[in-house]
Amino acid sequence: MTITQRDTDTARALDALEDGHASVRLRAALAVGTAPDPSFVDKLIERCAIEPEFFVREMLTWALTRHPVSLTLPGLLREVRSDRARARSQALHTLSKIGDRQAWPAITRTLLTDADDEVARSAWRAAVVLVAEGEESTLATVLATQLGRGERETQLSLSRALVALGEAIEPALVAATTASDPRTRTHALATQRLLRDPDAGFECAIEEAKRVVAFGGTGIEGQ
């Protein structure tokens, strides 16, 4: 392939990422990931921040993982500080898929407690993948401050993140079982149940925790 032909194909692929039809954008992202090129990286990151369709965003993330970390990491680290929630969320999601721990310092408390639930969930998932060795307990303490937050989807995401940290979360969970907020106590107890029994369903764990809290228990007595 000549340089001119390659440049033309690259331009077409980049243009297709902005097409009005999601199916066209999806195929373009697939093509870009199948034939990685450094000239694609900035456009992929830019598109992740504004792409409305979930399945296209997933393909954009996959395409980014196909490029060298040295090229993708700087742009993604800029995006986690973006004013746009979708940009922060997708950049965090992509960092979790890349899995390079050089990104760990960018997973700040601000992101872990972001007011946007989708950003926070992405930050939790990224954090447990990227956490530096020895920082698990510190991360667990920050994550525990979010117990009781949001609706079931958000609570399930947090419980999964905490459980992924293993035994490091136990002190933070025990403390949360005595919180003044019943939602926090309930969520902490449910997460304890999932830590002890990973096969337990979240709904069952929540309902069991609600009963304990309703009767004034903390769950510590039965441990």
Side-chain angles (χ1 to χ4, degrees), residues 103-126:
W104 167 240
I107 313 301
T108 61
R109 187 186 187 98
T110 298
L111 287 171
L112 293 169
T113 60
D114 197 285
D116 185 283
D117 283 347
E118 187 56 42
V119 175
R121 289 197 296 267
S122 295
W124 302 337
R125 291 190 293 267

Side-chain angles (χ1 to χ4, degrees), residues 9-169:
D9 290 346
T10 297
R12 287 174 177 168
L14 294 177
D15 287 344
L17 289 174
E18 297 183 345
D19 192 271
H21 296 86
S23 60
V24 175
R25 299 196 302 275
L26 181 67
R27 289 195 297 271
L30 174 61
V32 168
T34 301
D37 186 298
S39 62
F40 293 142
V41 171
D42 288 344
K43 185 64 175 182
L44 289 170
I45 293 174
E46 175 188 319
R47 188 66 207 177
C48 279
I50 59 175
E51 172 55 52
E53 297 293 342
F54 169 79
F55 60 92
V56 179
R57 291 198 301 273
E58 286 294 287
M59 190 64 76
L60 291 167
T61 283
W62 172 78
L64 281 165
T65 67
R66 297 272 296 159
H67 291 78
V69 174
S70 60
L71 297 178
T72 58
L73 197 58
L76 292 170
L77 294 181
R78 286 194 300 271
E79 288 296 284
V80 301
R81 300 189 297 271
S82 172
D83 292 335
R84 294 176 292 185
R86 179 166 291 167
R88 298 196 301 277
S89 176
Q90 198 63 25
L92 287 162
H93 175 63
T94 305
L95 288 171
S96 74
K97 294 299 183 182
I98 292 172
D100 192 300
R101 288 188 170 181
Q102 292 181 81
W104 167 240
I107 313 301
T108 61
R109 187 186 187 98
T110 298
L111 287 171
L112 293 169
T113 60
D114 197 285
D116 185 283
D117 283 347
E118 187 56 42
V119 175
R121 289 197 296 267
S122 295
W124 302 337
R125 291 190 293 267
V128 299
V129 171
L130 302 173
V131 61
E133 185 175 355
E135 294 291 325
E136 293 87 356
S137 294
T138 301
L139 173 59
T141 299
V142 176
L143 292 181
T145 67
Q146 303 302 291
L147 286 164
R149 169 180 174 167
E151 302 303 324
R152 290 298 169 87
E153 182 181 0
T154 297
Q155 293 190 6
L156 175 58
S157 291
L158 180 58
S159 289
R160 284 173 171 168
L162 284 164
V163 169
L165 291 174
E167 295 181 358
I169 71 172

Side-chain angles (χ1 to χ4, degrees), residues 185-222:
R185 296 202 303 275
T186 299
H187 195 185
L189 287 168
T191 305
Q192 280 185 324
R193 169 69 187 279
L194 293 175
L195 180 63
R196 294 193 299 266
D197 181 9
D199 294 327
F202 184 68
E203 289 299 326
C204 291
I206 282 287
E207 292 306 315
E208 178 183 308
K210 282 182 176 179
R211 290 192 290 271
V212 173
V213 170
F215 284 100
T218 64
I220 296 176
E221 302 89 350

